Amino acid sequence: MITPDLIDRLGGERVPRYTSYPTAPHFTTEVGPAEFGRWLGDVGPDEAVSAYIHVPFCTALCLYCGCHTRVVRRYAPVEAYVAALTREIDLVAARLAGRPVLRHLHWGGGTPTMLRGSDLRRIAGHLRRTFAFAPDIEIAVEIDPRTLTPADVETLAAIGVTRASLGVQSLDPEVQRAIRREQSVAETARAVDWLRFSGIAAVNVDLMIGLPHQSVANVVATVDHAVALAPDRVAVFGYGHVPWMKPHQRALPEAALPGPHERHAQFEAAAGRLVRAGYVRIGLDHFAAPDDPLARAAAAKTLRRNFQGYTTDGTRTLLGFGASAISSLPGGYAQAMTDIAAYADAVARGELPTTRGLALTRDDRLRRDVIEGLMCDLAVDLDEICGRHGVTADSAFAPELARLDAMARLGVVARSGHRIAVPDEMRSLVRSASAVFDARLAGGPGRHSTSL
């Protein structure tokens, strides 16, 4: 079990969440529009791909937020952004060799449902002209239940949405006041009812631990409310306090933030409640109903991890659209400009808005496979992975194996030859185990959330 001593040793480490490897802080300006354009040209004419649409707007800013988003009071900036977004889709389409098959589409933000129904349909239409939609495509959208309307739900159903993720975080009034996100149980349940009535049957709920004034008791109370909604998936994210990157987080009452011991207790209490309710524990922080595709993928060892977190998406190409969106291709990663005006200006000039990224090396690909295996399956066979990359585990990972032995003495990992596993009771520290294989972490900016 994770002891207080182990929390003191590792709980304060700042390590990535590993939704990619290498992680975004290591992107550089060496990757720009030309490189990204070449990678797009390498996408097969009928290759299976996935896409992400970023909508960087909200009606109010939640103080815990770590996303690229901004508050708008008028619709005009949103309308202008939609025009830029559709132009970007056209620019990407012009560089593709054919009409790839879209298997997964994720609308994120920000608040995607801030878009008018006509604009949601407009973007969806551009995507359908660019891609051949797979018959069993998953189309997911992130939703703020506080602003959702029946008209929004009708539009989401019309554009083919199959899964909705509801931001909840905490349903405790004191916590909500501290994070400036007041949301009742009733309006959350109402949103779920509307979605299911419209035919959007798959519902996810996103929760958080580690917020100001959270305790084991009020975290469990929130989980109980979430379980009553019978969601297909529940994510329990640890709040990442990075005010040097997100200055608005400085407005949070820092003295009321739980420390690593309390955060760990909150997470394990939430996890225990969800497991007792019948959910399957997935990777680090996800829980799924036993018949959910995510649970089936975990059982089959086909679970994947990308910028949207744990996924069943097995495609090798993820195309990100919108300001700050990141694309992942066999050649590497490409990120669009985060400044919305600069992004819009670039696409107006007919240029891909790529501003930075990273071309993957052979070593990056090897380490990415190891880290993803640990994050998804809590176990890896280094001989099997290294064999696929044409190297041996001893030659590729001699220093890492020594560090793993030290972690094994702490009980964080179990090692049998070149087979590495994170015991179930240690899964909260899987990011620390994964960081052993991160060759870029030591020299990086270190701007990550704590491991616990």
Side-chain angles (χ1 to χ4, degrees), residues 427-441:
R427 73 167 67 213
S428 294
L429 291 171
V430 68
R431 290 164 60 202
S432 294
S434 299
V436 169
F437 295 93
D438 188 340
R440 297 172 181 261
L441 184 59

Side-chain angles (χ1 to χ4, degrees), residues 379-384 401 404 413-421:
V380 290
D381 182 341
L382 294 181
D383 286 333
E384 188 274 328
L401 290 169
L404 285 169
V413 300
R415 179 184 168 198
S416 176
H418 293 148
R419 293 178 181 269
I420 314 299

Side-chain angles (χ1 to χ4, degrees), residues 12-26:
E13 283 188 326
R14 291 198 173 272
V15 290
R17 295 183 185 272
Y18 291 117
T19 53
S20 72
Y21 180 80
T23 55
H26 300 287

Side-chain angles (χ1 to χ4, degrees), residues 151-167:
D152 293 332
V153 176
E154 182 180 352
T155 299
L156 296 178
I159 64 172
V161 168
T162 60
R163 181 177 294 276
S165 291
L166 275 66

Side-chain angles (χ1 to χ4, degrees), residues 33 51 97 107 110 115 129 159 167 184 196 202 205 248 280 299 318-319 323 331 375 400:
W107 297 74
L115 300 181
R129 286 188 289 275
I159 64 172
S184 70
R196 288 180 172 149
V205 169
H248 59 267
V280 177
L318 165 64
L319 300 176
M375 291 297 298
E400 288 81 0

Side-chain angles (χ1 to χ4, degrees), residues 5-95:
D5 179 63
L6 200 52
I7 293 174
D8 289 336
R9 283 177 180 240
L10 299 178
E13 283 188 326
R14 291 198 173 272
V15 290
R17 295 183 185 272
Y18 291 117
T19 53
S20 72
Y21 180 80
T23 55
H26 300 287
F27 293 178
T28 73
T29 55
E30 291 180 11
V31 172
E35 187 78 4
F36 182 40
R38 285 193 293 271
W39 291 343
L40 288 172
D42 292 335
V43 175
D46 55 358
E47 180 180 333
V49 301
S50 56
Y52 171 77
I53 306 294
H54 188 64
V55 180
F57 301 106
C58 293
T59 55
L61 186 62
C62 304
L63 293 183
Y64 62 82
C65 184
C67 300
H68 290 292
T69 189
R70 70 183 180 114
V71 174
V72 290
R73 302 299 181 192
R74 301 176 301 110
Y75 194 73
V78 182
E79 190 171 35
Y81 180 77
V82 169
L85 189 57
T86 55
R87 282 196 291 270
E88 184 192 8
I89 294 171
D90 290 340
L91 290 172
V92 169
R95 288 162 174 81

Side-chain angles (χ1 to χ4, degrees), residues 166 168-171 185 188-189 192 196 203-207 219-236 273-274 277 279:
L166 275 66
V168 175
Q169 322 318 339
S170 172
L171 289 167
V185 175
T188 305
V192 173
R196 288 180 172 149
V203 173
N204 304 351
V205 169
D206 293 340
L207 307 179
V219 165
V220 170
T222 291
V223 172
D224 285 339
H225 286 305
V227 168
L229 301 174
D232 300 82
R233 300 175 189 173
V234 180
V236 185
R273 175 69 185 89
L274 288 163
Y279 289 89

